[in-house]
């Protein structure tokens, strides 16, 4: 488990992070999202102890790591593995040698290193690339080696810092599948720093929205989508914004209950006595709960209170479409690289 409490980071008079509280239980994945400049990179550097917080605590397994120094800090860093956006492999070392490097630096014996490297290469399905250099690997393959290296010292927490940014869809799915396996099979606690909402929906149990150095919303992914109409909720399941379509008024509908009838559209149409135009829909599973956000169009003469009441009775929340979410995510991706 990792527990961050009251974390603040300032550079001189400039406060970049203020009062960050975030808890991720054992064998769970938490995603931290937000616009460019929100403080995500600084938070990542504080979590992996590359930056010392100005105040606050970072507890792993109940031990506060934020105030450590010297050899104690070096040992504490081994509890937190990091996967970087570009994998950061050493070009002159093979895949196997890159994985072995943290263990050699920690004084692990050669026999144990060989056994552990083989185990990790097998875990990330890269045994056949053990003796290849980074330049001979695709972007997805380099990330697999980066993940294996991050696990070399058997950390309790894994930090993924934009690890899928710039990868093509196939490579992204492979990396996300691997992170999920690490959570489910090895019980690793994972913090994912990302600007990609697809990543959050695919693997995260918990999501936190960081903006201007503060966490402005957080919760279980399903809860955020089901019980919120915030910028984070709309970014997770985006839909058309306010306006009209062919003289019809645009409404948004979101699942407000985990038990919504699959026949809700026809039931609502019958109750309102009108045809309902379905403009767009995003219905997915998030943490084993069905969540959905849809855009529909209704005749403009309908009473707003009556419309909302009909959908409420069906376990849905309906409202006239809001203005579009602006500036929530804005980090351009790197050039896509070949799949693993």
């Amino acid at each position: 488990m990792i527990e961050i409490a009251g974390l603040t980071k300032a550079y001189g008079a400039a406060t970049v992070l203020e009062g960050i509280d975030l808890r991720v239980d054992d064998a769970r994945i938490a995603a931290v999202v937000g616009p460019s400049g929100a403080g995500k990179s600084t938070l990542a550097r504080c979590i992996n102890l590359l930056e010392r917080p100005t105040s606050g605590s970072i507890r792993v397994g109940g031990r506060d790591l934020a105030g450590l120094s010297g050899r104690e800090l070096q040992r504490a860093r081994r509890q937190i593995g990091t996967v970087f956006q570009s994998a950061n492999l050493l070009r002159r070392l093979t895949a196997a040698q890159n994985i072995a490097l943290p263990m050699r630096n920690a004084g692990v014996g050669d026999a144990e290193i060989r056994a552990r490297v083989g185990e990790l290469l097998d875990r990330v399905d890269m045994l056949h690339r053990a003796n290849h250099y980074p330049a001979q690997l695709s972007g997805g393959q380099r990330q697999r080696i980066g993940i294996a290296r991050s696990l070399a010292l058997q950390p309790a927490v894994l930090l993924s810092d934009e690890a899928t940014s710039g990868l093509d869809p196939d490579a992204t799915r492979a990396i996300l599948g691997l992170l999920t396996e690490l959570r489910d099979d090895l019980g690793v606690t994972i913090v994912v720093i990302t600007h990609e909402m697809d990543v959050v929906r695919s693997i995260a149990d918990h999501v936190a929205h960081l903006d201007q150095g503060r966490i402005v919303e957080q919760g279980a992914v399903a809860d955020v989508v089901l019980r919120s109409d915030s910028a984070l909720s709309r970014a997770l399941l985006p839909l058309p914004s306010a306006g009209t379509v062919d003289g019809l008024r645009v409404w948004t509908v979101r699942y407000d209950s985990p038990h919504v009838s699959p026949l809700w559209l026809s039931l609502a149409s019958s109750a309102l006595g009108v045809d309902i135009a379905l403009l767009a829909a995003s219905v997915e599973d998030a943490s084993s709960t069905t969540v959905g956000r849809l855009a529909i169009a209704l005749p403009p003469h309908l009473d707003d209170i009556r419309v909302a009441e009909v959908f409420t009775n069906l376990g849905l929340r309906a409202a006239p479409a809001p203005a579009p979410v602006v500036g929530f995510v804005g980090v351009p991706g790197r050039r896509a690289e070949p799949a693993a």
Side-chain angles (χ1 to χ4, degrees):
M1 180 185 77
I2 182 169
E3 188 172 13
I4 300 170
L7 188 149
T8 296
K9 179 62 180 178
Y11 298 95
T15 300
V16 181
L17 297 173
E18 185 171 358
I20 301 296
D21 294 320
L22 178 66
R23 171 178 169 144
V24 192
D25 290 331
D26 291 337
R28 306 294 280 176
I29 298 177
V32 177
V33 302
S36 180
K40 298 192 301 297
S41 296
T42 301
L43 178 58
R45 291 195 298 271
C46 288
I47 291 174
N48 62 19
L49 306 178
L50 294 178
E51 293 272 5
R52 187 183 299 278
T54 304
S55 62
S57 63
I58 301 173
R59 295 184 178 275
V60 175
R63 185 187 185 199
D64 185 7
L65 310 184
L68 301 180
S69 60
R71 290 185 178 178
E72 282 191 321
L73 178 60
Q74 291 178 354
R75 285 193 292 268
R77 282 181 176 146
R78 296 173 190 173
Q79 298 183 58
I80 303 174
T82 303
V83 186
F84 298 97
Q85 179 175 342
S86 60
N88 282 4
L89 302 181
L90 297 182
R91 293 178 299 171
R92 295 185 179 182
L93 299 183
T94 64
Q97 289 168 339
N98 267 284
I99 296 171
L101 190 60
M103 291 181 280
R104 294 204 181 282
N105 291 340
V108 178
D110 288 345
E112 186 177 346
I113 288 176
R114 285 193 297 272
R116 181 73 175 148
V117 168
E119 173 189 328
L120 290 170
L121 284 168
D122 185 49
R123 162 66 63 179
V124 300
D125 195 24
M126 288 292 288
L127 273 172
H128 61 303
R129 294 289 189 266
N131 296 317
H132 286 61
Y133 291 90
Q136 298 172 302
L137 303 175
S138 70
Q141 289 171 338
R142 289 196 294 272
Q143 283 297 53
R144 287 171 177 268
I145 297 302
I147 291 172
R149 182 182 59 187
S150 72
L151 297 171
L153 298 176
Q154 299 179 301
V157 172
L158 181 65
L159 173 64
S160 170
D161 188 4
E162 298 282 6
T164 60
S165 181
L167 297 180
D168 66 42
D170 288 341
T172 295
R173 281 191 293 270
I175 296 302
L176 297 182
L178 179 56
L179 292 177
T180 302
E181 288 176 10
L182 297 178
R183 175 195 64 189
D184 296 342
D185 297 349
L186 302 182
V188 178
T189 300
I190 302 175
V191 179
V192 176
I193 307 292
T194 184
H195 67 277
E196 299 171 293
M197 295 298 107
D198 287 347
V199 170
V200 181
R201 291 196 303 271
S202 296
I203 67 170
D205 303 299
H206 187 94
V207 60
H209 175 191
L210 186 66
D211 194 18
Q212 297 184 356
R214 294 175 176 267
I215 291 181
V216 295
E217 183 179 8
Q218 65 174 308
V221 174
D223 289 345
V224 168
V225 178
L226 282 173
R227 300 183 178 88
S228 170
D229 198 31
S230 63
L232 174 58
S233 176
R234 284 181 276 140
L236 282 167
L237 289 175
L239 286 176
S241 55
T244 59
V245 175
D246 293 333
L248 301 175
R249 191 177 179 199
V250 178
W251 286 66
T252 59
V253 177
R254 63 182 173 85
Y255 282 42
D256 203 36
S257 164
H259 308 293
V260 175
S261 169
L263 301 177
W264 69 263
L265 190 61
S266 61
L267 293 173
S269 178
S270 176
L272 293 170
V274 298
D275 292 330
I276 299 176
L278 181 60
L279 305 179
S282 181
V283 180
E284 301 187 20
D285 283 334
S287 300
S288 301
T289 300
T290 300
V291 297
R293 186 181 292 276
L294 308 94
I296 62 173
L298 296 171
H301 69 272
L302 293 176
D303 178 70
D304 286 5
I305 295 177
R306 172 60 180 157
V307 172
E309 181 182 70
V310 166
F311 283 99
T312 296
N313 291 337
L314 294 170
L316 302 157
R317 181 74 63 88
V325 178
V326 177
F328 185 78
V329 292
V331 182
R334 292 162 51 241
R335 178 179 59 85
E337 300 192 57

